[in-house]
Amino acid sequence: MEYRKLGESDLELSVITFGAWAAGGWMWGGTERAESIDAIREAYHQGVTSIDTAPVYGQGLSEEIVGEAIKGLQRDKVQILTKFGLQWENNSGEFYFKSKNNQGKDINIYKYAGREAVLKECETSLRLLGTDYIDLYQIHWNDPTTPIDETMEAVELLIQQGKVRYAGVCNYTADQMQEAERTVAIVSNQVHYSMVNRKIEEVVVPYCIANKKSILAYSPMERGLLTGKIKPGHIFSEGDHRSANRSFSPENIVQVNTFLDKIKHLAKDKGVSLGQLVLKWTIEKPGITIALAGARNAEQAVQNAKAADIHLSADEMNYINMHLEDLILV
């Protein structure tokens, strides 16, 4: 496993970081708690020492599962990344979207990162995670109803109190990162990035490279679309958000699989899966520090971890990039 520092900090993460969204079940059609715990522990034994979660993932369940999974592990050998700024218990902030919790109850998700809310969220996360500090604390989405400096002042206070080691952001524009930086030192931006979603290459990646900020790429396998396992006519389980995601339209599934057919010989020659090849491509892209990969069981966790060991030559990267030019989702 390879480890990379975030920004100019001394915080090192495994280049494949465990993404624990699906572990919370919410929007993924439920979860198997025991299998999720096994997946996190097996990932750790494979060198994936970094785990990314959030309160909204299962409304606390993902953080609780992560906390249970890391019990007994040496705390300073594990890097816990969590988030704040999405809440579902009241209507503070800006309405984001309607959803259902794991029990099927209707809930509304709001973006809210007022000072007191941030401090309270941190205490809840620490309790659920079973730890006394968070390695990287990230705002999940910008809250337009709260000044960025107010939000970041709360994070700076948490750093001073020793409850948070470093501050990060998620889904921030370059301008928002610059504004946040006036209040607290930002080490990273976690953003959506994959072979079929490369918009951040226009502004965010150049900004982060120039300002020595790290990028944590989430959904690098486009929530399973780039694994080659999603075929036309695929039926998602009830509650799986992908069924309504336009990336998974019949036309896009066909296009993506046509592209994957062009590169699958590379995976075959290396004795790896398409998903592993996609993960390796992601962490080899300029400006991308970490790729987040979820796993529903121990076997998937091992496969994700082994992606870090693949070698991709410059010619092979160019070959993949060449065929990507023809892939445009509708």
Side-chain angles (χ1 to χ4, degrees):
M1 181 57 61
E2 180 185 354
Y3 302 87
R4 295 176 180 172
K5 285 188 176 183
L6 290 193
E8 296 181 287
S9 74
D10 63 355
L11 177 59
E12 288 192 348
L13 304 186
S14 48
V15 290
I16 304 297
T17 287
F18 192 100
W21 178 9
W26 176 67
M27 297 180 70
W28 286 92
T31 186
E32 291 294 334
R33 186 186 188 99
E35 287 196 347
S36 293
I37 291 171
D38 286 346
I40 293 170
R41 289 177 177 168
E42 185 57 43
Y44 174 83
H45 293 310
Q46 296 292 325
V48 177
T49 58
S50 312
I51 310 164
D52 179 84
T53 183
V56 77
Y57 298 161
Q59 294 71 59
L61 180 58
S62 176
E63 287 187 321
E64 184 180 298
I65 286 173
V66 169
E68 186 171 344
I70 65 172
K71 281 181 181 176
L73 300 180
Q74 191 172 331
R75 178 62 183 88
D76 62 0
K77 301 296 183 183
V78 180
Q79 301 83 47
I80 296 177
L81 293 54
T82 194
K83 310 179 187 76
F84 65 92
L86 289 185
Q87 62 88 22
W88 57 94
E89 294 180 330
N90 58 62
N91 59 358
S92 299
E94 181 184 72
F95 174 75
Y96 188 14
F97 64 94
K98 291 182 177 294
S99 185
K100 292 181 182 291
N101 64 17
N102 287 342
Q103 289 72 46
K105 179 184 176 182
D106 290 333
I107 55 174
N108 293 328
I109 308 298
Y110 288 82
K111 298 175 183 177
Y112 185 58
R115 181 183 185 278
E116 295 307 316
V118 175
L119 300 178
K120 181 180 178 181
E121 274 202 71
C122 185
E123 293 300 330
T124 301
S125 290
L126 289 170
R127 175 176 56 80
L128 290 173
L129 290 163
T131 186
D132 57 1
Y133 70 93
I134 293 161
D135 294 279
L136 182 68
Y137 204 38
Q138 311 157 97
I139 183 167
H140 209 148
W141 287 88
N142 179 56
D143 165 23
T145 71
T146 302
I148 288 177
D149 62 349
E150 177 185 333
T151 298
M152 297 304 157
E153 283 171 4
V155 178
E156 176 62 31
L157 176 60
L158 291 168
I159 292 173
Q160 292 172 4
Q161 293 175 341
K163 297 174 181 177
V164 168
R165 290 185 64 199
Y166 292 103
V169 297
C170 303
N171 306 298
Y172 260 37
T173 65
D175 287 343
Q176 289 167 339
M177 289 185 71
Q178 193 170 31
E179 186 173 350
E181 187 80 10
R182 297 191 189 113
T183 305
V184 67
I186 298 296
V187 300
S188 61
N189 190 2
Q190 183 179 146
V191 285
H192 186 181
Y193 182 73
S194 74
M195 287 178 166
V196 297
N197 193 322
R198 294 180 289 157
K199 187 173 177 59
I200 65 165
E201 291 178 358
E202 298 171 9
V203 178
V204 173
V205 169
Y207 175 86
C208 288
I209 291 174
N211 292 276
K212 299 180 180 178
K213 308 299 178 187
S214 287
I215 292 177
L216 283 60
Y218 71 78
S219 297
M221 292 187 284
E222 203 60 32
R223 302 169 192 181
L225 184 61
L226 289 165
T227 63
K229 298 176 182 178
I230 307 293
K231 304 295 184 183
H234 184 89
I235 304 298
F236 293 100
S237 61
E238 185 178 353
D240 191 319
H241 71 287
R242 293 176 294 179
S243 62
N245 188 306
R246 68 179 185 179
S247 293
F248 291 85
S249 70
E251 297 84 359
N252 286 336
I253 290 174
V254 169
Q255 275 210 68
V256 169
N257 279 294
T258 298
F259 160 71
L260 293 174
D261 284 342
K262 296 174 182 177
I263 67 168
K264 66 182 181 182
H265 69 91
L266 289 176
K268 184 177 180 181
D269 290 346
K270 297 176 184 296
V272 301
S273 69
L274 279 167
Q276 289 172 309
L277 186 69
V278 168
L279 282 176
K280 185 61 176 183
W281 174 90
T282 305
I283 58 177
E284 289 300 303
K285 290 292 287 183
I288 306 300
T289 310
I290 301 299
L292 276 69
R296 303 298 292 263
N297 54 53
E299 181 182 356
Q300 291 177 1
V302 171
Q303 292 300 307
N304 290 343
K306 290 186 179 302
D309 300 329
I310 300 169
H311 173 72
L312 278 178
S313 68
D315 286 345
E316 289 168 333
M317 286 290 292
N318 290 335
Y319 177 83
I320 294 171
N321 292 334
M322 176 185 69
H323 287 293
L324 273 177
E325 293 176 4
D326 300 325
L327 179 59
I328 302 174
L329 298 193
V330 296

